[in-house]
Amino acid sequence: MLGHAACLAMSTPRINTNATKSTALTEVRKENIMRQSTRFFAFFLLLAIGAASQCAQATNLSLNCDKNGSIRTALHVLATTNPQGPNTITVLGSCKGNFVIKSMDRLTLITRNGASITDRSNGTLAVVDIEDSHSVTVQGFAINGGAQGILCNTASVCYLTGNTIQGPGTIQGPGRFGVDVLRGSRAFLESNVIQNWARGAFITGSAEVFSSNDVIQHNGGSAIAVLNRSYFESTNSSLDNNGVGIEAGGSGVFLGGGTISGNNSDGVRVLAASEAIFSGPTITANGGVGVQVLDGSFAAFLAASITGNLSGLDVDCEPQFPMTRFVDRTGGITNCVEPASKSQLKDLK
């Protein structure tokens, strides 16, 4: 058994895998050193996890990608030895690769000094792929390129905080999404910047995304696409300067504050069989309409400023059978007609 002092000493191991390099080394010797460093790194992780397990404490690991540290190796060892967590991996340096987090719970991947993770798949894989995992946090990274920056899939619960998730450009194409949330997963976004993708976030398959204080900009298709019985909620996020602000099809949207402005086309498209509730956003200066409500959809404007959009209409009801309530509260120009009633409408607040 480890003593109390030994437990305290080993509960937060710091790992240094930097191998001494000489300019006289041949390429073969360099490769051997790298392999030896990786084996040493994995061995040290096993020792650290064993110590943490004996002390009944969380496993806290540190690695530096500039000094042969490996996120992939750390994830593999944790998934093998302690998949239920809690585990924290603190990352330094410039990392390259595509990483899968599968069937792991209570995992935090964090940097305090602006580490980066860059795609190595030439745009064919997600940079960070989270599958069948619960309470996974990715915090503080610059994530560059990939088919998706972060994929949250298969009923996972993902927390994305303070990241800059930047794509290869706004070119349209399948799967080019900054954040991709699928198949019953839930993602909580806080203070991220998501930019230069075909779509900033793609939400489908009964998935849910909650966004707070995010900046989603310069995405060629839309800032947010929410489809197929899914849900998007935003509080004080900025969905500006994209192709479209939000596209919702067969899904629900709640907007509490924030801005949707400067988009090339419409601010919000409430497509067939969708519901959108507006409770405080400012939607202005978009190239099309501010809000477009299509067939069989419902939009309620509890509180919103929707004015100054460039098509001539701020709220556009398209035939057939769109439904709106309280559209007069937006202050903008509209063609929507709400039925008169002999009884006073009740406020939905």
Side-chain angles (χ1 to χ4, degrees):
M1 295 292 294
L2 290 172
H4 180 68
C7 289
L8 291 177
M10 298 189 70
S11 63
T12 309
R14 300 191 63 83
I15 300 168
N16 183 351
T17 62
N18 186 25
T20 302
K21 297 181 180 178
S22 169
T23 56
L25 288 174
T26 64
E27 291 301 317
V28 172
R29 292 185 62 196
K30 287 182 180 178
E31 184 176 350
N32 288 338
I33 288 174
M34 290 292 291
R35 289 176 177 173
Q36 184 178 6
S37 296
T38 300
R39 287 195 295 268
F40 175 75
F41 179 77
F43 177 70
F44 205 104
L45 285 181
L46 285 168
L47 290 178
I49 291 167
S53 177
Q54 291 186 50
C55 299
Q57 295 179 359
T59 304
N60 301 300
L61 307 175
S62 296
L63 63 89
N64 189 335
C65 288
D66 294 335
K67 297 181 178 180
N68 299 333
S70 170
I71 295 175
R72 180 175 286 104
T73 301
L75 289 172
H76 175 72
V77 174
L78 290 174
T80 302
T81 59
N82 190 31
Q84 300 305 311
N87 299 308
T88 298
I89 304 174
T90 301
V91 181
L92 303 174
S94 299
C95 310
K96 293 183 180 180
N98 303 82
F99 307 104
V100 177
I101 299 168
K102 186 173 183 179
S103 302
M104 297 182 70
D105 298 336
R106 298 186 295 171
L107 172 67
T108 297
L109 194 65
I110 189 170
T111 174
R112 293 185 175 87
N113 295 291
S116 64
I117 308 176
T118 300
D119 172 56
R120 293 188 68 176
S121 73
N122 197 28
T124 61
L125 299 173
V127 175
V128 180
D129 182 352
I130 302 168
E131 303 280 346
D132 184 32
S133 298
H134 304 102
S135 192
V136 174
T137 297
V138 180
Q139 182 172 334
F141 289 88
I143 296 176
N144 304 310
Q148 301 93 18
I150 298 178
L151 172 59
C152 183
N153 195 12
T154 323
S156 294
V157 179
C158 307
Y159 296 86
L160 313 179
T161 304
N163 303 288
T164 297
I165 305 170
Q166 46 203 9
T170 58
I171 186 170
Q172 295 290 319
R176 297 284 185 173
F177 312 136
V179 175
D180 199 0
V181 186
L182 309 175
R183 299 174 63 192
S185 296
R186 305 179 79 197
F188 298 83
L189 280 60
E190 169 72 33
S191 301
N192 302 280
V193 176
I194 304 172
Q195 60 190 8
N196 299 329
W197 299 90
R199 288 184 169 93
F202 189 78
I203 309 157
T204 190
S206 301
E208 299 180 344
V209 169
F210 302 84
S211 170
S212 177
N213 300 305
D214 295 301
V215 175
I216 305 177
Q217 63 185 3
H218 305 310
N219 300 288
S222 57
I224 303 292
V226 51
L227 307 170
N228 299 328
R229 306 171 309 283
S230 297
Y231 179 73
F232 174 71
E233 181 175 311
S234 173
T235 305
N236 295 324
S237 290
S238 298
L239 314 179
D240 301 339
N241 302 309
N242 304 280
V244 177
I246 298 174
E247 296 176 289
S251 297
V253 173
F254 178 87
L255 301 177
T259 61
I260 302 175
S261 67
N263 297 291
N264 293 333
S265 186
D266 301 327
V268 179
R269 291 176 178 168
V270 190
L271 306 176
S274 293
E275 176 185 272
I277 309 297
F278 299 82
S279 185
T282 296
I283 303 175
T284 187
N286 296 288
V289 300
V291 177
Q292 185 182 56
V293 188
L294 275 73
D295 262 3
S297 292
F298 173 74
F301 302 92
L302 307 185
S305 175
I306 308 176
T307 61
N309 295 283
L310 304 183
S311 74
L313 279 178
D314 294 302
V315 181
D316 176 22
C317 285
E318 291 287 331
Q320 297 178 12
F321 314 122
M323 295 168 282
T324 65
R325 293 290 296 272
F326 314 121
V327 70
D328 57 307
R329 298 183 181 183
T330 67
I333 301 169
T334 182
N335 64 352
C336 301
V337 177
E338 296 182 2
S341 173
K342 293 181 180 180
S343 61
Q344 187 175 358
L345 294 177
K346 292 184 178 180
D347 199 323
L348 297 181
K349 289 183 179 178

